[in-house]
Every structure is written in structure tokens, then in C-alpha cells.
């Protein structure tokens, strides 16, 4: 009897500790200051991590913290330097010029190998143009699968940063990542209107749910997007 009584307090302590566990403690921590510092300290190492993440066969032993450094660190290496080609890609798509759009995706990925929108657009264009002899002679289904695989890896990194709630939003470095993440990864295409922005959060209202996401509202942390926008505005003010 004494033995049983001595166990009870231990169980109560364990339950108390469990109830006080910090929600979201299993999410990947995004510390932009630390990520930027590591890029400045060792850009070669960060580029090596990026190359590993983009490899045809992603290393099975690559830790999530290294994937975080690769994806979010890439933002500090390229600093949106590919955006001119992103504009060209979207203009080409608007005009229906698939060849020009495909060329632009190559230019984008040359600067930023982890540009999610360019990865998905390039995969989609190659898939559509496989009937063209010039394209089929240069690309194969293997190229499409690789591009989609890298895009999925990027989305898995974003997915690890939160649960889409206001308290634990998903971290993105580009506005378009929000749409690609919702459509491609979460498999949700019904987005109701434009996102609302409150502070450093973008809020989307969803018309449907999926196996990976069961809520009608999803939050994204866009602090890095805002930082890049401020830097661009500062550069423009200095020019003019």
C-alpha cells in the first residue's frame, strides 16, 4: 500500500509537466537573425546545403535544421535577385508563350534553386510540352519528377514551421509560396478572395479542406517578405 501511495505523487508530477508542455514545441524554429548570420559566416556551407536539398536523391540523413538553413538561408543569398525573371516568366505565361516562360524558369532557378513557383511552373511546362520534339529531346519525365520532388521538399520544410494557426503560422519568404503551398502541397484549390494582412501575418479563408489541413483559415508569417519589400523600397528611394 505504501508503495502505491508513493507512486501517485510521481504520476501527478508527470501529468503536471505534460500539461505545461509548450504548444508547438515540435515545430521548426525560424530565427531569421540566426539564419542570416550563418549565411554571412559561411555562405559556401549554406550553398552546399542547398545543393544537397536539390539533389536528385535527397540525402536521407539530412537534418531538418539543415533543410531550414538551406531554404530560408537561400533567401539571404539571392535576396529576391531572381524577381526580374519571375516577372518575365509570368508575362510569358500570360501571353501563352511557353518557350519563353520555360527559359525564364531556367534563369530563375539559376539564381535561386529553391524558388517554389519556378520549380512547379517548370515541371508543369515540361509536362505540357513533352509532345514537342525539341523539348522531348532535351527533357524527360524524370526531369518533371525531380522538379516536383524538390518542390515537395520545400513545402515539407514550410509545413514543419507551424500548423497554420494564428499562434503558429507557416513561414514563407515569398507571397506566391502561400498559394503554391496551399494548392500543390495541401491539395486545396478553393481559396476565398485575396488574403488579409494583419501585422506580419497573411490570412487566407479556404472553401475546402484536405487530408493535410482540416481548418477553414490558414495563417502565414510573411515577415521575411515584408523585409525584402522594405529593402526594395529603400533601394528605389536611393536611386530616385
Amino acid at each position: 500500500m505504501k508503495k502505491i501511495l508513493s507512486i501517485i505523487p510521481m504520476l501527478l508530477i508527470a501529468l503536471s509537466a505534460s500539461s505545461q508542455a509548450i504548444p508547438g514545441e515540435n515545430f521548426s524554429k525560424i530565427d531569421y537573425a540566426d539564419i542570416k548570420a550563418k549565411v554571412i559566416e559561411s555562405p559556401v556551407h549554406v550553398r552546399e546545403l542547398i545543393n544537397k536539398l536539390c539533389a536528385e536523391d535527397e540525402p536521407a540523413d539530412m537534418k531538418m535544421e539543415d533543410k531550414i538553413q538551406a531554404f530560408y538561408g537561400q533567401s539571404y543569398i539571392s535576396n529576391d535577385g531572381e524577381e526580374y525573371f519571375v516577372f518575365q516568366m509570368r508575362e510569358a505565361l500570360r501571353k501563352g508563350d511557353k518557350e519563353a516562360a520555360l527559359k525564364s524558369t531556367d534563369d530563375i532557378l539559376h539564381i535561386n534553386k529553391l524558388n517554389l513557383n519556378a520549380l512547379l511552373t517548370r515541371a508543369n511546362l515540361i509536362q505540357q510540352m513533352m509532345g514537342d520534339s525539341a523539348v522531348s529531346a532535351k527533357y524527360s519525365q524524370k526531369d518533371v519528377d525531380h522538379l516536383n520532388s524538390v518542390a515537395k521538399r520545400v513545402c515539407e520544410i514550410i509545413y514543419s514551421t507551424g500548423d497554420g494557426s494564428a499562434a503558429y503560422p507557416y513561414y514563407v519568404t515569398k507571397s506566391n509560396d502561400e498559394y503554391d503551398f496551399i494548392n500543390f502541397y495541401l491539395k486545396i484549390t478553393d481559396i476565398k478572395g485575396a488574403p488579409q494582412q494583419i501585422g506580419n501575418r497573411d490570412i487566407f479563408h479556404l472553401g475546402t479542406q484536405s487530408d493535410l489541413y482540416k481548418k477553414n483559415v490558414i495563417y502565414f508569417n510573411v515577415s521575411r517578405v515584408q523585409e525584402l519589400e522594405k529593402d526594395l523600397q529603400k533601394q528605389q528611394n536611393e536611386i530616385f
Side-chain angles (χ1 to χ4, degrees):
M1 184 68 178
K2 289 182 179 180
K3 187 175 181 180
I4 294 173
L5 290 173
S6 66
I7 291 173
I8 291 175
M10 294 174 66
L11 290 173
L12 291 173
I13 291 171
L15 288 170
S16 176
S18 175
S19 67
Q20 292 176 28
I22 301 172
E25 62 184 359
N26 292 323
F27 297 139
S28 299
K29 182 182 179 181
I30 305 302
D31 183 339
Y32 282 125
D34 181 62
I35 290 169
K36 182 179 181 179
K38 288 178 179 175
V39 169
I40 294 171
E41 179 184 349
S42 185
V44 173
H45 175 63
V46 176
R47 286 190 174 93
E48 288 174 350
L49 293 176
I50 292 167
N51 289 335
K52 281 185 179 181
L53 189 61
C54 294
E56 186 173 334
D57 295 313
E58 180 189 0
D61 61 347
M62 193 173 184
K63 298 176 182 178
M64 181 53 75
E65 62 189 68
D66 289 334
K67 295 179 184 181
I68 291 290
Q69 184 63 47
F71 176 59
Y72 294 97
Q74 172 65 73
S75 177
Y76 289 99
I77 290 175
S78 53
N79 278 307
D80 270 3
E82 74 272 26
E83 286 304 301
Y84 170 73
F85 297 110
V86 171
F87 173 77
Q88 288 192 324
M89 176 187 73
R90 290 174 183 164
E91 278 296 293
L93 289 171
R94 184 181 64 80
K95 295 174 182 178
D97 190 341
K98 294 181 180 179
E99 290 184 5
L102 186 61
K103 171 62 171 61
S104 293
T105 62
D106 190 41
D107 293 328
I108 294 166
L109 295 173
H110 181 71
I111 297 171
N112 181 355
K113 294 181 179 181
L114 298 174
N115 186 295
L116 182 56
N117 194 233
L119 287 165
L120 292 173
T121 300
R122 187 172 179 80
N124 188 44
L125 286 170
I126 293 174
Q127 188 78 71
Q128 290 179 28
M129 299 168 69
M130 289 292 281
D132 185 303
S133 58
V135 173
S136 59
K138 191 174 181 180
Y139 305 104
S140 68
Q141 185 61 43
K142 187 176 181 180
D143 295 300
V144 175
D145 293 342
H146 179 228
L147 288 162
N148 282 327
S149 177
V150 176
K152 184 180 178 182
R153 294 170 203 172
V154 169
C155 288
E156 287 172 345
I157 294 169
I158 295 172
Y159 190 70
S160 78
T161 63
D163 60 7
S165 65
Y168 300 102
Y170 296 118
Y171 280 68
V172 295
T173 63
K174 296 180 182 297
S175 295
N176 214 83
D177 287 355
E178 299 168 325
Y179 292 93
D180 289 327
F181 178 76
I182 293 171
N183 296 159
F184 172 74
Y185 191 69
L186 298 183
K187 307 298 183 186
I188 297 174
T189 56
D190 188 359
I191 299 174
K192 295 183 176 181
Q196 299 171 275
Q197 189 174 96
I198 299 178
N200 64 356
R201 303 283 196 275
D202 270 0
I203 310 166
F204 287 79
H205 295 272
L206 309 175
T208 56
Q209 301 174 346
S210 70
D211 290 340
L212 280 178
Y213 201 77
K214 301 295 185 182
K215 292 173 280 191
N216 294 322
V217 178
I218 185 169
Y219 290 77
F220 291 92
N221 181 297
V222 292
S223 55
R224 177 60 181 149
V225 179
Q226 293 173 334
E227 181 182 22
L228 286 164
E229 289 173 348
K230 287 180 181 178
D231 288 345
L232 178 60
Q233 187 61 54
K234 183 179 178 181
Q235 291 173 20
Q236 292 175 340
N237 290 340
E238 289 174 352
I239 294 172
F240 299 105

